[in-house]
Amino acid sequence: MKTKLFFTLILVSFLSSARAQVEKAATQIAWDTWGVPHITANTVEELFFAQGWAQMHNHANLILKLYGGSRGKGAEYWGQKEFNNDMLVHTLGFDELADEWGKSQDPEVKIMYTSFIKGMNAYAKAYPKAIDKQNKVVLPLTEKDVNMHSMYVIFTRFIAGNDLGRVQQWPNLGSNAYAVGPSRSASGNAMLVQNPHLPWWKEFLFFESHLNLKGKNMYGSTLVGLPGIAIGFNENLGWSHTNNPIDNADTYELELTKGGYLLDGKQKAFETSSKTIKIKQEDGTMVDQEIPMLRTVHGPVVNKTENKVLALRMVGLDKPNMLLQWWKMINSDNFNEFESALQMAQIPFWNVMYADKTGNIFYLFNGLVPKRTEDAWSYWDRIIPGGKSADVWTEVHKYADLPMIKNPTNGWLQNANDPPWTSTIPMSLNPDDFPGYMAPQSMSFRPQRSARMLIEDESITFDELVDYKLSTRLEFADRILDDLFTAIDASDSELAKKAKVVLENWDRTADADSKGMLLFYSWARKFNVWNNANYKEKWTLDKPNTTPDGIANPKRAIQLLEKTVQELEAKFGSLDIAWGNYYRINYNGKNLPANGSDGSMGVFRVAWPGGATDDNMFVGGGDSWVGVIEFGDAVKAKVLLSYGNATQKDSPHNGDQLELFSKKELRDAWFTKAEVTSNTKRIEVMTDNGFQEKK
């Protein structure tokens, strides 16, 4: 009897050990040929550990630079050039706020962060040679780093990006998104287009990953240095974000008086404090510099002159669970679950565009909109003068107050950074039903082009949707060339008539081989597309996608065209230079013909310039992550991460997708087990010390 019991215990012990080994072996990273990690795990802890490891593998030095800057210690690590950024971090109080968030965050967030950081630190320990000497000072990383980096990106680059831009310049950001319902889809399946436009550098870069937790497939991207998926899809649904014209930060101009500032005509004392920033000198020694900090009832002072200060107020400082909301969104299986995640209201910015397997499409003007005393958008879309306590908002609108549309009768939804009113044409949302400060009223040429492509197609195939996403046709050219030609015909300008020949033969696209794009682009920049006064018929909400139209001053248009012709002939000796010969991709040693343009002229395929020489202009940002997804019986998805999924200088994936960008191509998202298996380059398996390559 004892012998039988003994062998039974041995068998149980053996099976338990075998089961544990199977579970440990199940946590692995399958790296595909594009450097995308396909992570399979049985626990949340191991999943995020693996994602942290994978991010460091592809972006170790970038992450350390980003985290060091977000700590507000860039000057201490790398010298004086980082001082202004450190001062901003400390002025906005991110160090103290991160401590508050660390105490109040949901336990699930803490698990995600702790595991993610452990994975990154484990990689740094296992591969010290992957890290540049000057970046090692940032190690080890902590959970607080995730909080400080997330608030740095969200608050300084998005929520208060425009407001801080009045003090110091930040990049223009944008995006496109489509949701096509079954009634407009040739297959009867809902489809989604994900397409943020961000700069191709630093904290704006995306990281692509495929996560499989206990058999649940999740795919998409997030900004480098952040865990999870912020724009993504699973087998049942997906969403994208676009920057919305939401005003949820305000800058106040306050008059100084007797060491304080005026509030309602009375003196109010500043809250004062100071921080000491260490600055590394060229010889390696440190110098301490104390920075005084002032705070008003409006928020921290971000700029000061002799007589006035600028104070900044932002939403979202009390929302520490933003990444948990994204995690719940990607784990949702239906619209009700997804909407429950949205109702957490932790994500303070960005429209949401959604589609799912059951055929639902949905648009939400997402974000935290302050409840304000003055109704007019124009009142708040400025530096607000004076110190009125009535202008200091304290509450935000609840989810139910926000503009949203589910399953519109026209069968599609679009957003290209336009206000919510034009997410459908004809419009389904009436701005009069919302506070005037909710969003402005406008529709520029890019969203007009966006809507036109859907309006003109009653039965949209997946391949057509891909073509629309990659379209470089200029809405502004279609709108204005007939008027420009009329003006040319009425003039006696030989230079203008010479230009007309080129423009008539031009295909009105910004493709690499388009001849006439450079001529039109150069003229349009001088014409000033954004100025409503340049048009005979101004933009109106009654005709949102067909105005403005006509040239208000034909004589001026001809003069600008003559000047353009003279400049191009002097520089290039010709007017029909191929766009890709002039507009180039210059990234990590690659030099390729570009296509697309900035969105001001109505190009859906956005690639804005970020530098130039005498002979060329170079792409600096725009299309970054692209996903086109169809939710049928099986998910069908094409994707592209324009600049590749790595920034490590020795990685083959640093810029390896730019050739596809240059050729206007997407690649398959390898989502099923069979697809991943057939495209796996190598596999890493989790051990007690991180991951080891499977032989």
Side-chain angles (χ1 to χ4, degrees):
M1 186 70 176
K2 289 183 179 179
T3 304
K4 183 176 182 182
L5 178 60
F6 175 73
F7 281 111
T8 300
L9 290 173
I10 290 178
L11 179 61
V12 170
S13 176
F14 173 78
L15 291 175
S16 297
S17 176
R19 187 180 302 112
Q21 290 178 10
V22 168
E23 288 177 354
K24 180 67 73 173
T27 299
Q28 66 175 36
I29 306 172
W31 292 95
D32 72 21
T33 54
W34 293 107
V36 176
H38 301 260
I39 299 169
T40 304
N42 287 319
T43 68
V44 170
E45 290 89 342
E46 292 184 352
L47 182 82
F48 282 100
F49 182 96
Q51 194 185 38
W53 176 282
Q55 280 211 28
M56 282 292 277
H57 177 270
N58 283 14
H59 295 288
N61 287 291
L62 174 61
I63 289 171
L64 294 176
K65 288 287 288 187
L66 295 180
Y67 276 20
S70 295
R71 283 179 186 172
K73 291 190 174 184
E76 179 180 339
Y77 299 152
W78 303 299
Q80 180 70 44
K81 65 183 182 300
E82 306 292 334
F83 177 78
N84 287 341
N85 188 77
D86 291 351
M87 192 162 64
L88 176 66
V89 169
H90 293 299
T91 296
L92 297 179
F94 291 162
D95 194 4
E96 296 76 14
L97 183 61
D99 289 332
E100 292 178 23
W101 280 18
K103 294 174 184 176
S104 63
Q105 279 171 322
D106 188 285
E108 194 171 353
V109 173
K110 295 180 181 180
I111 291 172
M112 292 163 56
Y113 285 13
T114 300
S115 303
F116 186 67
I117 288 296
K118 283 181 178 178
M120 290 202 284
N121 283 329
Y123 184 87
K125 183 178 179 180
Y127 295 98
K129 292 183 179 179
I131 298 171
D132 294 343
K133 181 179 178 181
Q134 68 267 25
N135 296 333
K136 292 181 184 292
V137 66
V138 184
L139 293 167
L141 305 177
T142 69
E143 292 82 359
K144 185 175 179 178
D145 286 322
V146 185
N147 273 328
M148 290 194 73
H149 185 59
S150 64
M151 60 182 64
Y152 176 82
V153 172
I154 303 309
F155 291 119
T156 75
R157 296 324 206 196
F158 292 96
I159 291 177
N162 288 334
D163 289 79
L164 287 169
R166 293 174 176 136
V167 184
Q168 58 190 97
Q169 289 295 315
W170 303 119
N172 279 327
L173 313 173
S175 358
N176 300 323
Y178 278 156
V180 178
S183 67
R184 210 61 177 245
S185 167
S187 66
N189 299 322
M191 296 186 289
L192 178 72
V193 170
Q194 306 166 328
N195 183 211
H197 306 148
L198 296 180
W200 287 5
W201 50 271
K202 296 182 180 178
E203 64 271 15
F204 295 106
L205 296 179
F206 281 100
F207 177 73
E208 178 182 354
S209 59
H210 176 202
L211 311 180
N212 187 306
L213 178 62
K214 297 179 182 178
K216 185 176 185 65
N217 266 322
M218 299 168 278
Y219 201 108
S221 65
T222 190
L223 294 177
V224 171
L226 300 181
I229 290 174
I231 294 177
F233 62 92
N234 58 37
E235 291 167 347
N236 297 308
L237 57 82
W239 78 94
S240 192
H241 288 304
T242 60
N243 287 6
N244 44 349
I246 187 173
D247 187 355
N248 52 14
D250 285 316
T251 302
Y252 302 83
E253 185 181 66
L254 308 171
E255 293 187 23
L256 297 177
T257 177
K258 299 178 182 178
Y261 62 98
L262 289 177
L263 182 67
D264 297 327
K266 298 179 181 179
Q267 181 184 350
K268 179 78 173 175
F270 289 105
E271 294 178 36
T272 61
S273 61
S274 66
K275 278 273 189 177
T276 299
I277 295 178
K278 293 184 178 297
I279 306 173
K280 185 177 182 179
Q281 306 301 294
E282 290 186 6
D283 63 2
T285 61
M286 293 289 174
V287 172
D288 290 347
Q289 182 165 336
E290 187 177 48
I291 57 169
M293 293 186 292
L294 303 176
R295 190 173 185 86
T296 71
V297 297
H298 311 76
V301 171
V302 294
N303 200 15
K304 185 177 184 291
T305 64
E306 185 177 349
N307 301 315
K308 296 179 180 180
V309 297
L310 296 180
L312 178 65
R313 190 169 190 80
M314 300 181 288
V315 301
L317 300 176
D318 58 344
K319 304 293 184 182
N321 294 317
M322 176 175 57
L323 273 77
L324 177 61
Q325 181 175 334
W326 273 319
W327 182 235
K328 289 188 178 297
M329 288 161 66
I330 194 65
N331 275 279
S332 299
D333 287 325
N334 55 57
F335 179 77
N336 289 338
E337 291 179 6
F338 188 83
E339 187 172 37
S340 293
L342 294 179
Q343 289 169 342
M344 292 173 62
Q346 295 289 308
I347 300 174
F349 195 77
W350 299 295
N351 292 301
V352 174
M353 190 70 74
Y354 167 96
D356 68 29
K357 190 173 181 177
T358 60
N360 292 307
I361 60 173
F362 176 71
Y363 162 80
L364 171 68
F365 184 77
N366 176 71
L368 302 174
V369 179
K371 290 185 176 180
R372 294 178 158 122
T373 52
E374 296 288 339
D375 190 59
W377 173 266
S378 58
Y379 184 87
W380 302 97
D381 187 35
R382 58 176 182 157
I383 295 178
I384 301 166
K388 290 167 42 180
S389 56
D391 288 341
V392 183
W393 37 265
T394 58
E395 298 180 64
V396 297
H397 282 274
K398 60 183 183 295
Y399 173 83
D401 294 343
L402 303 175
M404 63 185 80
I405 304 174
K406 183 182 180 185
N407 298 332
T409 55
N410 67 325
W412 57 261
L413 292 159
Q414 74 82 33
N415 186 264
N417 308 125
D418 43 323
W421 329 123
T422 47
S423 54
T424 62
I425 300 290
M427 293 186 299
S428 304
L429 293 170
N430 185 347
D432 293 339
D433 295 335
F434 299 87
Y437 57 71
M438 183 68 72
Q441 298 181 20
S442 65
M443 191 182 195
S444 60
F445 286 112
R446 177 162 54 91
Q448 289 188 34
R449 179 67 193 167
S450 172
R452 177 195 277 216
M453 291 188 290
L454 298 180
I455 290 170
E456 293 179 348
D457 194 340
E458 293 287 337
S459 181
I460 303 169
T461 68
F462 180 85
D463 290 342
E464 286 172 334
L465 197 60
V466 170
D467 288 343
Y468 297 156
K469 165 56 227 102
L470 299 174
S471 171
T472 66
R473 191 171 180 98
L474 280 71
E475 184 71 15
F476 178 59
D478 284 337
R479 183 70 49 81
I480 212 69
L481 273 180
D482 59 338
D483 302 296
L484 181 60
F485 290 160
T486 298
I488 293 171
D489 291 342
S491 77
D492 57 2
S493 170
E494 293 302 320
L495 290 177
K497 294 182 190 302
K498 187 176 183 180
K500 182 186 177 187
V501 174
V502 175
L503 294 174
E504 282 181 324
N505 291 324
W506 173 45
D507 60 6
R508 302 187 182 186
T509 74
D511 285 344
D513 58 356
S514 295
K515 296 182 177 181
M517 173 61 188
L518 180 57
L519 172 61
F520 184 78
Y521 175 85
S522 302
W523 171 80
R525 297 279 289 184
K526 291 180 174 61
F527 178 80
N528 192 352
V529 176
W530 294 100
N531 190 348
N532 209 28
N534 287 332
Y535 302 97
K536 185 178 295 184
E537 183 180 6
K538 316 306 182 195
W539 183 87
T540 66
L541 191 64
D542 294 335
K543 300 167 66 177
N545 60 315
T546 58
T547 55
D549 198 7
I551 297 175
N553 187 341
K555 182 178 179 181
R556 171 179 172 270
I558 297 300
Q559 290 172 342
L560 295 176
L561 187 59
E562 289 176 326
K563 186 175 181 181
T564 301
V565 170
Q566 291 169 343
E567 290 175 352
L568 292 184
E569 288 191 327
K571 179 176 284 191
F572 300 109
S574 173
L575 298 182
D576 59 353
I577 304 297
W579 179 239
N581 287 352
Y582 172 72
Y583 199 30
R584 307 290 294 180
I585 299 165
N586 185 12
Y587 188 99
N588 194 34
K590 296 182 183 296
N591 193 317
L592 300 163
N595 58 83
S597 179
D598 67 84
S600 64
M601 298 176 203
V603 175
F604 201 65
R605 201 312 162 46
V606 171
W608 70 68
T613 62
D614 289 341
D615 298 322
N616 291 107
M617 188 167 67
F618 304 102
V619 177
D623 276 14
S624 41
W625 170 254
V626 176
V628 182
I629 306 108
E630 181 175 358
F631 295 97
D633 293 335
V635 170
K636 180 179 182 180
K638 292 274 191 180
V639 297
L640 190 74
L641 188 55
S642 300
Y643 35 70
N645 205 32
T647 51
Q648 288 292 90
K649 56 190 175 187
D650 59 348
S651 173
H653 307 297
N654 188 347
D656 64 338
Q657 298 181 48
L658 288 167
E659 287 85 353
L660 295 177
F661 182 96
S662 179
K663 294 187 289 185
K664 292 178 63 178
E665 295 178 2
L666 304 181
R667 57 184 178 79
D668 292 330
W670 295 318
F671 188 62
T672 67
K673 184 176 180 179
E675 290 169 338
V676 173
T677 300
S678 62
N679 293 286
T680 293
K681 187 174 182 180
R682 66 187 184 91
I683 294 175
E684 290 183 304
V685 179
M686 191 172 185
T687 69
D688 291 336
N689 298 315
F691 284 85
Q692 290 185 353
E693 188 162 343
K694 184 178 180 180
K695 302 300 181 182

